[in-house]
Amino acid sequence: MMSRADVPALAARAASVGASPVREILALTERPEVISFAGGLPAPELFDAEGIRAAYDRVLAEQPRRVLQYSTTEGDPALRAAVAGRLAARGLPTGPEELVVTAGSQQALTLIATALLEPGDVVLVEDPTYLAALQCFGFAGARVVPVPSDGDGVDPGALAELVVRERPKLLYLVPNFQNPTGRTLPAERRRAVAEVAARHGLWIVEDDPYGELRFSGEPVPWIASLDGAADRTVLLGSFSKVMAPGMRLGWLRAPAALRRACVIAKQAADLHSSTVDQAAAARYLADADLDGHLARVRGAYRERRDALLGGLPEALPQGSAWNRPEGGMFVWVRLPDGQDATALLREAVAHDVAYVPGAPFYAGPPDRGALRMSFTTHTPEEIGVGLKRLAAVFGRR
C-alpha cells in the first residue's frame, strides 16, 4: 500500500496572522434580536438603491458590450475623471491619470503593501489603528510599531523619535474620524507629520474612507495636499461609505512610480475591478446628486451619534470616558480601571446588545478597558433600547 505524505504547510505569513479573538462572539450578534454597536457598516436603509439601480440599467442598456467586457487595470476613465473632479473640488487638484480604481480601499492598502514592503520592513501606525490594516501589514511580513497617540492622534514628537530609531518604510494613518477611535488629526499635527516624512524620507499612507461624513466642525486639509508630503503620500478613498459597500469600489492616488508598481500588482491580483460596477458608479456620479444624498446621510448619522452620546452617561459605569467625534461612524469608550471590555462582551451578547472590544486594534500592549461603538446602523430609538440593555450589563439598571 502506498504511504501518504503530509500535505505541505501553509505559508508562514498565513499561519502567523491570527483572526480576531472576538470573532466567534460577534458572530452571535447576527441574531435579529441583538442591537449591535459592533459593526462598522453604513446604514442600509439610507442607500440610494433607486439611483444606483437606474445607473446600472442605463449602462447595461446603452453600452452592454463595453461594460460586460474586460477593461483596463487602471480603471474606467470616466470614473477616474469623476473622482479627480471631486478631489479637486475639495481642495486637492488631481488628474484622472493619478488615480487607480481598486476593489475598495482595502485592496488599495494591499497593493501598497505589495509594492513597498519587504519582509522585516517597519511600518508605523497609530495606537490603536484599523484592525484590517494590521492584518494586511502582517501578511506582508512587516514589523508593525505603534506611535504613541492621544485623543488627537499620533504625537509628532514621538513620531520623529521613532522614525530615527526604527527607520520605517511607511506611516499608516486614518486622519479623519479614525477607525476605531473616531478621532481626527488636527491640521497642525498633519503639518508636523508631513515635515517628519519630508525630513526622513518616509512614505505616508493616508486612508480616508470617512472624510465625506463630517457633520460638525471644519474640514482639515489632506496630508497629501501639504508642502513636503505630496511626493511621498498615498491617498486612499472608497465608495463604500458614501455610495454602497457591495459595489466594492475604491481608489488610490499616488506618485507616478509607486502608482505604476500598484498597477502591476493589481494586474497580478485581479486584472481589473468590475467593469460594470465601475461604469455604473461613473454613471451615478454623472446623473445623481451624490452631495445631496450625503447631506441626508450626514443628517441621519448626526442624530444617531447624538442619541448614543446622550445615553452613554446612564448606560456605562461611573468613571467611564468617551469622545465626541465630528463625523464618521465610531465613538471610542474607555471603561474604568479594572474593567475588561473583552471579558464583558459575552455577557453583553447574552443581554442582546454588542460592541467591539478595543484590544484587537492595538499594535502594542492593549487597553483592556477600551471599546468601539458604531452609531450608524440603528435609529435613535433603537440606540436607546440598546443602551438600556448595556446598562443592565454594567449594573446601571
Side-chain angles (χ1 to χ4, degrees), residues 122 124-125 145-148 157-168:
V122 173
L124 300 183
V125 299
V145 177
V147 181
L159 171 65
E161 294 176 4
L162 277 173
V163 168
V164 172
R165 186 168 76 238
E166 300 287 351
R167 301 181 63 83

Side-chain angles (χ1 to χ4, degrees), residues 9 14 22 72 92 106 112 132 148 181 227 277 318 391:
V22 297
T72 61
L92 185 63
Q106 186 65 42
I112 293 299
T181 65
D227 292 340
D277 293 332
Q318 294 287 345

Side-chain angles (χ1 to χ4, degrees), residues 272-359:
H272 62 82
S273 297
S274 164
T275 311
V276 66
D277 293 332
Q278 291 185 72
R283 190 73 262 165
Y284 181 86
L285 291 171
D287 292 350
D289 181 8
L290 179 58
D291 292 326
H293 169 68
L294 283 172
R296 293 187 291 274
V297 170
R298 287 191 293 262
Y301 286 179
R302 182 190 302 111
E303 290 181 357
R304 297 175 187 201
R305 177 205 62 179
D306 292 347
L308 179 62
L309 294 176
L312 286 179
E314 297 299 318
L316 297 178
Q318 294 287 345
S320 297
W322 54 88
N323 60 353
R324 184 182 181 85
E326 295 183 327
M329 304 172 69
F330 307 110
V331 169
W332 189 244
V333 173
R334 193 186 186 285
L335 302 175
D337 290 343
Q339 300 263 19
D340 188 322
T342 301
L344 288 164
L345 176 59
R346 191 174 295 277
E347 184 177 352
V349 172
H351 283 79
D352 292 333
V353 64
Y355 54 81
V356 173

Side-chain angles (χ1 to χ4, degrees), residues 29 31 33-37 344-355 373 385-391 393:
T29 68
R31 292 184 288 115
E33 63 270 25
V34 174
I35 293 179
S36 178
F37 300 111
L344 288 164
L345 176 59
R346 191 174 295 277
E347 184 177 352
V349 172
H351 283 79
D352 292 333
V353 64
Y355 54 81
M373 301 185 74
V385 174
L387 289 174
K388 288 181 180 178
R389 295 176 184 176
L390 201 60
V393 175

